[in-house]
Amino acid sequence: MRLDVFTLVPDAFAWIRERRPIAAVLDRELELRVFNYRDTTPLTARQVDDEPYGGGPGMVLRVDVVAAAFDAVYGGMPEQRVVALTPSGRQLDQALVEEFAREPALTLLSARFEGFDQRILDHLCSDAVSIGPYVLSGGEIPALALVDAVARRLPGALSEGSGEVESFSEALEGGLEYPHYTRPADFRGWKVPEILLSGDHGRIETWRRERVRSLA
Ligand SMILES: C[S@@+](CC[C@H](N)C(=O)[O-])C[C@H]1O[C@@H](n2cnc3c(N)ncnc32)[C@H](O)[C@@H]1O
């Protein structure tokens, strides 16, 4: 899969290349490309945004700047889905992550300041995605969240089986995962449930299933 991220803060994507799960799949199952709108802007002095028509605070990412970035990278409109990260988008959930992970390629657009000129969302994007009902300063953290969530669904990203039984997975019928414990078995009197120390895998499995919390 190829993920193309367009951003004003390309540095924000440096560290994830060295960390699992992305490091495990990078240059194998995943090609991650990061583009700075400023590198291809048709405006002078690397300008990418402008004041909003109608007045008001803040600066708005220009539609011609995003179109120029697509021309430079794709020679026009990308063939793959183009996902704008915006608080007004569809809220990201595991079902949408799984859907994105099946795509051969995705383009992610992030903005800063007041956000996107609406024509970017209307004419240059296929999807608009929010990572939650709150406002961040830029689309880099939302894009990182999406890249991470998608990358960990790719073959080889996680150790065998660890991505199959977790919160929101089919194996747990979309529910929240059961609690985990590790050593020490007793810390300040806070004891690990006896059953987990019993070695009885059948009863442990039943105990865990009983603790999966449904979202409904
Ligand atoms: C300060 S926000 C713009 C907020 C916008 N004026 C509004 O009221 O909805 C700047 C950028 O951060 C990103 N962003 C902020 N919060 C987000 C969220 N919850 N989900 C996805 N992207 C977000 C988007 O790319 C957005 O255009």
Side-chain angles (χ1 to χ4, degrees), residues 47-68:
Q47 183 188 346
V48 293
D49 48 16
D50 231 315
E51 294 160 356
Y53 280 125
M59 299 291 271
V60 177
L61 184 63
R62 286 175 55 138
V63 63
D64 51 349
V65 167
V66 176

Side-chain angles (χ1 to χ4, degrees), residues 1-16:
M1 169 180 216
R2 196 181 70 214
L3 288 174
D4 292 340
V5 183
F6 291 76
T7 173
L8 290 168
V9 192
D11 305 358
F13 297 84
W15 66 272
I16 51 165

Side-chain angles (χ1 to χ4, degrees), residues 110-174:
S110 59
R112 292 192 78 79
F113 318 118
E114 274 309 309
F116 298 100
D117 183 304
Q118 184 61 34
R119 291 167 293 181
I120 299 170
L121 304 173
D122 292 346
H123 301 290
L124 299 181
C125 295
S126 56
D127 301 82
V129 167
S130 163
I131 62 160
Y134 44 81
V135 177
L136 298 166
S137 306
E140 291 70 35
I141 289 171
L144 283 166
L146 209 159
V147 169
D148 182 277
V150 167
R152 68 198 306 285
R153 300 306 301 145
L154 299 179
L158 303 176
S159 53
E160 193 70 22
S162 66
E164 303 315 314
V165 184
E166 59 182 4
S167 296
F168 317 115
S169 64
E170 272 178 35
L172 299 185
E173 293 165 8

Side-chain angles (χ1 to χ4, degrees), residues 16-30 151 154-159:
I16 51 165
R17 294 178 181 278
E18 286 149 33
R19 296 275 176 269
R20 294 182 76 92
I22 288 159
V25 287
L26 206 58
D27 302 327
R28 289 196 281 269
E29 294 292 331
L30 177 66
L154 299 179
L158 303 176
S159 53

